[in-house]
Amino acid sequence: LRWEGQSMRIQDDYWHNSGTKKWHVVRRHLESVSPDPHTLHVHFTSATGLPRKVPISIARSVNPKLCDYLRTGAGHRFLGVVAMDFPSSALCELVVRCNIAARSLDPCRRLRSVWGATVEVGEYFDNLQCEMQAAATRAD
């Protein structure tokens, strides 16, 4: 999968001097997403507007807006990957729940097949999923 190739839709508009402006970009991109098994959607909520606006100040504005958006009916849809600066555990959980509810994209689901998979590859992914589940339960 090539970064920014035909199979990717990326929003990485990172130079903003206000969280409100960045939120408008993020929201517009989130609303344009539809689940597609052949496309990876990546949204960056992070931004900077140095020297006055550092990433944490942008995150303090964008993260609550994203949280509110995901809690409303408009936010209950497939998102894809959402890369964030300084997210709360609740915000991370909302992102995961939206993806799961939208298309049964449970990150802990059993993988049916992996291209050219051997028994060792299947076991590797099973072990990786178990480790991720265990880590997620200890995240907070």
Side-chain angles (χ1 to χ4, degrees), residues 1-138:
L1 184 62
R2 266 189 55 238
W3 189 256
E4 293 191 85
Q6 289 182 323
S7 297
M8 292 188 79
R9 299 291 174 264
I10 303 169
Q11 178 283 117
D12 191 15
D13 187 1
Y14 63 89
W15 196 255
H16 288 277
N17 58 7
S18 85
T20 301
K21 289 178 183 177
K22 177 61 179 185
W23 169 243
H24 290 301
V25 171
V26 170
R27 183 174 180 159
R28 188 172 52 248
H29 197 256
L30 287 171
E31 290 175 348
S32 72
V33 170
S34 60
D36 178 353
H38 305 292
T39 305
L40 176 62
H41 296 274
V42 182
H43 316 273
F44 288 88
T45 66
S46 56
T48 189
L50 292 173
R52 296 187 188 272
K53 291 292 183 176
V54 293
I56 195 165
S57 65
I58 301 287
R60 285 182 181 143
S61 175
V62 173
N63 290 355
K65 289 175 176 75
L66 178 59
C67 200
D68 289 344
Y69 174 79
L70 296 179
R71 286 187 174 131
T72 67
H76 292 174
R77 50 184 294 163
F78 175 79
L79 303 172
V81 177
V82 182
M84 303 171 276
D85 283 341
F86 312 101
S88 66
S89 59
L91 181 53
C92 293
E93 185 173 336
L94 279 170
V95 169
V96 170
R97 287 184 186 276
C98 285
N99 280 328
I100 290 171
R103 298 288 279 174
S104 299
L105 295 176
D106 182 353
C108 300
R109 72 191 181 282
R110 184 129 179 108
L111 295 173
R112 292 188 186 141
S113 65
V114 179
W115 288 95
T118 63
V119 172
E120 292 82 15
V121 170
E123 288 175 358
Y124 172 80
F125 280 110
D126 284 345
N127 289 336
L128 182 61
Q129 285 178 320
C130 288
E131 289 177 23
M132 290 176 69
Q133 282 180 310
T137 61
R138 297 187 304 263

